[in-house]
């Protein structure tokens, strides 16, 4: 895993997710993704849905958390990713 100085440190991301009351695995499952999805997004670029779920929970954008991943245009970045509302995460959390 290559981390650029401008990217958030993975431990900071994990801590922020934990402070919101989730683990990375639990966040993936609540969002309807495979269990490994958010963990994978933390380690390397390419998991757009996992990046988006983490960013939405933290109230920011993936570009803010991982600016080095989005500094160069990438062909796969043009994929349309269905937005996940944080309110949906909260509703699933209350139901559990």
């Amino acid at each position: 895993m290559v981390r650029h100085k401008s990217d958030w440190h993975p431990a900071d991301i994990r801590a922020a997710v934990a402070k919101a009351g989730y683990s990375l695995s639990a966040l993936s499952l609540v969002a309807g993704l495979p269990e490994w999805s958010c963990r994978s997004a933390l380690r390397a670029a390419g998991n757009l849905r996992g990046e988006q779920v983490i960013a939405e929970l933290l109230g920011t954008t993936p570009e803010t958390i991982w600016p080095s991943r989005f500094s160069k245009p990438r062909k796969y970045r043009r994929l349309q990713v269905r937005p996940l509302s944080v309110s949906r995460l909260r509703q699933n959390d209350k139901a559990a």
Side-chain angles (χ1 to χ4, degrees):
M1 173 178 73
V2 176
R3 187 181 72 82
H4 294 64
K5 290 184 179 184
S6 58
D7 291 351
W8 290 18
H9 193 281
D12 293 334
I13 298 168
R14 281 185 191 271
V17 170
K19 190 173 182 181
Y22 293 94
S23 67
L24 291 171
S25 296
L27 181 59
S28 295
L29 294 174
V30 167
L33 301 172
E35 183 179 358
W36 49 264
S37 191
C38 288
R39 289 192 319 257
S40 174
L42 193 64
R43 286 192 303 268
N47 189 330
L48 299 177
R49 188 71 174 134
E51 291 172 355
Q52 182 180 3
V53 169
I54 292 170
E56 285 188 20
L57 179 71
L58 302 182
T60 187
T61 64
E63 292 85 357
T64 302
I65 298 173
W66 298 282
S68 66
R69 295 183 186 184
F70 298 93
S71 61
K72 297 178 185 175
R74 296 183 177 158
K75 292 179 183 178
Y76 67 83
R77 184 64 186 144
R78 297 179 188 179
L79 296 174
Q80 293 297 318
V81 180
R82 182 176 47 91
L84 175 75
S85 69
V86 174
S87 62
R88 183 173 143 207
L89 288 174
R90 303 284 184 229
Q91 288 172 353
N92 288 343
D93 191 35
K94 289 178 184 177

